[in-house]
């Protein structure tokens, strides 16, 4: 089975550093083998190149991490840029937790550099070491350099994840700004962005699309998620749209790249401890790619990349297996129950599949949605719920924990797997169109080509799909189930 979500055979995908170069996306990523069960330890930079986000050439390790006595024992996130003479520059974070590289008992982080002529083979610059200045910025959080050429100012800019000196421990996170004429000597400037609300902001990314400038970063303090902000000028006030994310908890550390026509966000869906839905989220996982585009207000929306949509090229016949309070009228299903559950159960699901459907005419309904990998009674499985009263989409499963000895020990007081909650203004829509990819232990949902919700699904490995309405009515139309024909 050809997979649509990339992961190397011998490890996990950590932070992705995308760079569009000569007709392909070079996707550098932190390669984590989880040596000894640790996360993010002894990470190197590996490379997977793709022209379409579906077919990958795996180059393996391209920037090895250092040994126990070197600054880059752990080679962490950064960026790649090609200068006007064609030389490639790779800026990355060096981290070594050993005592010799600590200050006041805390490990320092340092921005390091490598160069190359093809974007694949790199030579480390042993003379280049850029630390936090300890005047404007702290020394301990100093990572994830993003370097780009500012056409307006005609100079190179570097954005760095850091914290302001003598700031709040909880809210001191900012994105530093440094400038340079030659990519070697850097001048510290006042923060590029400092909202006074995060511990720190990881993996900064900047780009311009049309008349808008965008800043992208990820946070782990108030919630694990990738945010974006927008401004009409590169150094102006960056403001937050109401919906300022691309996805939920299951899509982290996303950075973007463009071929000049389309832009994509490259992030990773984390694994869970013990490969169990009830386990804690882990660091690193599997690559997930969303296409990013603008609406008329300059807000960023996401949709499924066309190459991934085209992968599912074989329509399967839809077969009704079981139903309750459901009427079938042609290709439309009408689910209605004034004070109970209306549902229908359709085909069993293969390990890799794309489901599509549209919901219309929801009336006085508490929630409605789609069930996947469920049994024929909807007693067990995964559930995507659309909740008009709260204007949200949630991911749920049943049971929500391993059942205990007593009948009530089923986590009934947990409203849903709420870390995957997404907002949706139901009043703005007469139709909700979904596209849902299931691939082994990954679920990726797109709604109205605007928002996405990605997560892991471990515990139920097979079952059916179906639709439901809880205390109300909804119509389900345009139902399709697509698989991939062997190529």
């Amino acid at each position: 089975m050809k997979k649509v979500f990339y992961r190397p055979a011998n490890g996990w995908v950590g932070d992705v550093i995308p760079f569009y170069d000569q007709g392909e996306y070079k996707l550098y990523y932190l390669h984590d083998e989880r040596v000894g069960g640790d996360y993010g330890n002894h990470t190197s930079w590996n490379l997977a190149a793709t022209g379409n986000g579906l077919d990958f050439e795996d180059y393996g390790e391209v920037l090895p991490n250092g040994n126990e006595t070197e600054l880059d024992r752990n080679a962490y996130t950064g960026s790649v840029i090609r200068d006007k003479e064609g030389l490639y520059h790779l800026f990355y974070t060096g981290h070594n937790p050993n005592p010799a590289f600590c200050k006041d008992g805390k490990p320092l982080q340092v921005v390091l550099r490598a160069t190359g002529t093809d974007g694949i083979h790199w030579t480390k610059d042993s003379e280049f070491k850029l630390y936090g200045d300890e005047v404007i910025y702290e020394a301990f959080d100093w990572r994830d350099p993003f370097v780009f050429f500012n056409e307006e100012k005609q100079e190179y800019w570097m954005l760095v994840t850091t914290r302001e000196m003598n700031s709040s421990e909880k809210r001191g996170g900012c994105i530093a700004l440094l400038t340079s004429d030659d990519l070697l000597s850097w001048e510290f400037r006042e923060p590029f962005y400092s909202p006074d609300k995060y511990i720190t902001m990881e993996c900064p990314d900047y780009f311009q699309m049309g008349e808008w400038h965008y800043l992208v970063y990820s946070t782990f303090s108030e919630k694990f998620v990738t945010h974006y902000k927008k401004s009409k000028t590169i150094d102006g006030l960056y403001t937050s749209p109401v919906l300022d994310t691309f996805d939920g908890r299951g899509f982290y550390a996303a950075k973007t790249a463009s071929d000049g026509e389309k832009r994509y966000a490259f992030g990773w869906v984390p694994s869970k401890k013990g490969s169990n839905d009830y386990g804690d989220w882990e660091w690193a996982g599997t690559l997930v790619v969303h296409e990013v585009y603008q609406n008329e207000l300059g807000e960023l929306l996401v949709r499924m990349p066309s190459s991934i949509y085209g992968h599912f090229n074989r329509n399967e016949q839809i077969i009704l297996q079981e139903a309750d309070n459901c009427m079938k009228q042609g290709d439309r299903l009408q689910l209605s129950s004034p004070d109970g559950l209306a549902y229908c159960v359709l085909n069993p699901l293969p390990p890799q599949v794309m489901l599509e459907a549209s919901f219309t005419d929801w009336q006085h309904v508490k929630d409605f949605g789609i069930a996947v990998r469920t049994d024929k009674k909807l007693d067990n499985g995964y559930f995507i719920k659309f909740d008009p009263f709260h204007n949200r989409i949630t991911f749920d499963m049943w049971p929500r924990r391993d059942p205990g000895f007593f009948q009530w020990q089923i986590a009934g007081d947990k409203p849903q797997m709420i870390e995957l909650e997404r907002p949706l203004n139901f009043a703005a829509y007469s139709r909700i169109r979904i596209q849902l990819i299931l691939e082994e232990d990954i679920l990726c949902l797109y709604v109205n080509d605007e928002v996405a919700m990605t997560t892991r699904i471990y515990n139920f490995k097979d079952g059916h799909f179906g639709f439901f309405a809880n205390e109300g009515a909804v119509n389900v139309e345009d139902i399709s189930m697509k698989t991939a024909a062997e190529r």
Side-chain angles (χ1 to χ4, degrees):
M1 178 182 73
K2 178 180 180 57
K3 295 185 178 182
V4 299
F5 302 118
Y6 174 80
R7 180 190 150 194
N10 61 337
W12 302 84
V13 175
D15 300 348
V16 182
I17 302 96
F19 178 64
Y20 187 77
D21 183 45
Q22 302 182 64
E24 67 177 4
Y25 291 92
K26 288 184 170 67
L27 304 182
Y28 307 94
Y29 64 91
L30 306 190
H31 182 254
D32 190 15
E33 296 183 2
R34 297 184 180 173
V35 177
D38 292 335
Y39 308 114
N41 214 356
H42 301 283
T43 54
S44 61
W45 276 40
N46 283 29
L47 172 62
T50 180
N52 59 10
L54 184 63
D55 300 295
F56 294 89
E57 182 177 0
D58 187 350
Y59 286 88
E61 183 180 85
V62 293
L63 184 79
N65 61 297
N67 60 36
E68 295 293 327
T69 64
E70 294 178 301
L71 289 169
D72 60 352
R73 174 190 183 272
N74 303 322
Y76 286 156
T77 307
S79 60
V80 172
I81 187 172
R82 193 180 183 195
D83 67 22
K84 294 179 180 179
E85 285 70 45
L87 183 67
Y88 293 81
H89 302 254
L90 185 158
F91 293 89
Y92 68 109
T93 306
H95 173 270
N96 190 326
N98 291 324
F101 300 90
C102 295
K103 181 178 181 180
D104 299 329
K106 296 167 62 177
L108 295 171
Q109 293 176 321
V110 58
V111 172
L112 303 174
R113 174 177 174 265
T115 58
T117 58
D118 58 5
I120 299 171
H121 303 90
W122 299 95
T123 300
K124 295 181 181 181
D125 180 355
S126 60
E127 301 300 315
F128 187 93
K129 302 177 183 66
L130 181 60
Y131 289 93
D133 63 349
E134 298 189 76
V135 176
I136 307 174
Y137 307 113
E138 285 188 6
F140 302 109
D141 282 288
W142 184 254
R143 61 182 180 273
D144 306 347
F146 178 75
V147 178
F148 65 98
F149 186 71
N150 185 330
E151 295 285 350
E152 181 181 330
K153 309 284 187 181
Q154 287 294 297
E155 61 188 4
Y156 293 101
W157 279 22
M158 178 189 291
L159 307 182
V160 183
T161 290
T162 187
R163 293 170 46 79
E164 292 192 74
M165 283 291 291
N166 305 313
S167 60
S168 160
E169 182 177 348
K170 183 180 178 182
R171 303 188 315 277
C174 70
I175 294 175
L177 172 62
L178 292 81
T179 62
S180 174
D181 292 325
D182 59 6
L183 293 170
L184 290 174
S185 300
W186 292 90
E187 181 179 344
F188 289 82
R189 301 284 182 88
E190 292 299 312
F192 181 80
Y193 184 64
S194 183
D196 190 32
K197 62 183 292 187
Y198 305 113
I199 293 175
T200 192
M201 295 173 284
E202 300 189 302
C203 302
D205 175 31
Y206 160 84
F207 62 90
Q208 183 176 1
M209 185 183 290
E211 62 180 356
W212 289 96
H213 300 259
Y214 296 96
L215 171 66
V216 177
Y217 60 87
S218 294
T219 63
F220 56 79
S221 46
E222 92 295 9
K223 56 185 175 180
F224 274 81
V225 73
T226 297
H227 299 270
Y228 80 90
K229 309 299 178 191
K230 64 190 180 96
S231 172
K232 283 293 184 71
T233 62
I234 187 172
D235 49 7
L237 177 64
Y238 283 81
T239 59
S240 177
V242 174
L243 179 60
D244 72 338
T245 63
F246 303 124
D247 202 315
R249 174 61 176 91
F251 183 74
Y252 193 66
K255 292 165 73 76
T256 73
S258 173
D259 62 1
E261 295 183 3
K262 292 184 177 182
R263 182 167 291 273
Y264 298 93
F266 301 87
W268 44 269
V269 52
S271 57
K272 283 193 167 185
K273 189 77 171 178
S275 299
N276 189 309
D277 291 326
Y278 310 133
D280 291 336
W281 293 102
E282 298 177 301
W283 187 84
T286 305
L287 174 69
V288 174
V289 183
H290 301 319
E291 184 184 343
V292 177
Y293 69 101
Q294 290 172 309
N295 65 10
E296 65 278 3
L297 300 176
E299 297 167 333
L300 296 180
L301 310 175
V302 297
R303 59 193 172 200
M304 185 186 302
S306 58
S307 60
I308 293 178
Y309 185 84
H311 171 74
F312 297 95
N313 54 11
R314 181 167 59 195
N315 281 290
E316 306 290 345
Q317 182 182 4
I318 303 298
I319 302 172
L320 183 63
Q321 304 275 326
E322 190 159 331
D324 190 15
N325 297 316
C326 173
M327 292 180 57
K328 188 175 187 297
Q329 292 191 343
D331 293 332
R332 173 188 296 178
L333 297 172
Q334 294 181 313
L335 304 174
S336 179
S337 178
D339 61 355
L341 186 69
Y343 69 90
C344 64
V345 176
L346 305 171
N347 301 45
L349 294 169
Q352 185 193 67
V353 66
M354 182 176 70
L355 303 173
E356 295 183 281
S358 295
F359 296 103
T360 63
D361 300 318
W362 50 88
Q363 301 173 25
H364 311 293
V365 64
K366 283 193 172 180
D367 56 62
F368 59 89
I370 181 170
V372 295
R373 295 188 184 170
T374 182
D375 55 40
K376 291 187 177 181
K377 296 295 184 183
L378 269 65
D379 283 341
N380 299 280
Y382 303 105
F383 305 92
I384 305 295
K385 295 182 177 181
F386 295 86
D387 179 352
F389 181 80
H390 294 99
N391 277 326
R392 66 186 180 187
I393 314 164
T394 61
F395 170 75
D396 199 5
M397 66 176 297
W398 194 261
R400 297 189 187 119
R401 53 157 280 182
D402 288 321
F405 175 79
F406 295 102
Q407 185 183 34
W408 54 268
Q409 292 178 320
I410 52 176
D413 57 345
K414 184 177 182 179
Q416 61 261 338
M417 306 297 279
I418 200 165
E419 71 271 13
L420 290 174
E421 191 172 18
R422 297 286 299 163
L424 185 73
N425 181 11
F426 281 76
Y429 302 100
S430 60
R431 175 181 296 265
I432 293 175
R433 176 173 171 262
I434 65 167
Q435 298 170 308
L436 177 62
I437 298 174
L438 303 176
E439 183 173 277
E440 295 180 338
D441 57 14
I442 297 173
L443 178 155
C444 183
L445 171 76
Y446 295 92
V447 180
N448 285 350
D449 284 340
E450 292 186 2
V451 299
M453 187 164 66
T454 308
T455 188
R456 291 283 181 175
I457 47 171
Y458 289 108
N459 294 15
F460 302 115
K461 303 186 185 306
D462 51 35
H464 300 258
F465 82 101
F467 301 96
F468 62 88
N470 179 24
E471 296 189 21
V474 70
N475 291 340
V476 189
E477 305 172 4
D478 308 322
I479 303 170
S480 72
M481 171 178 167
K482 295 181 179 180
T483 55
E486 294 295 331
R487 294 192 295 171

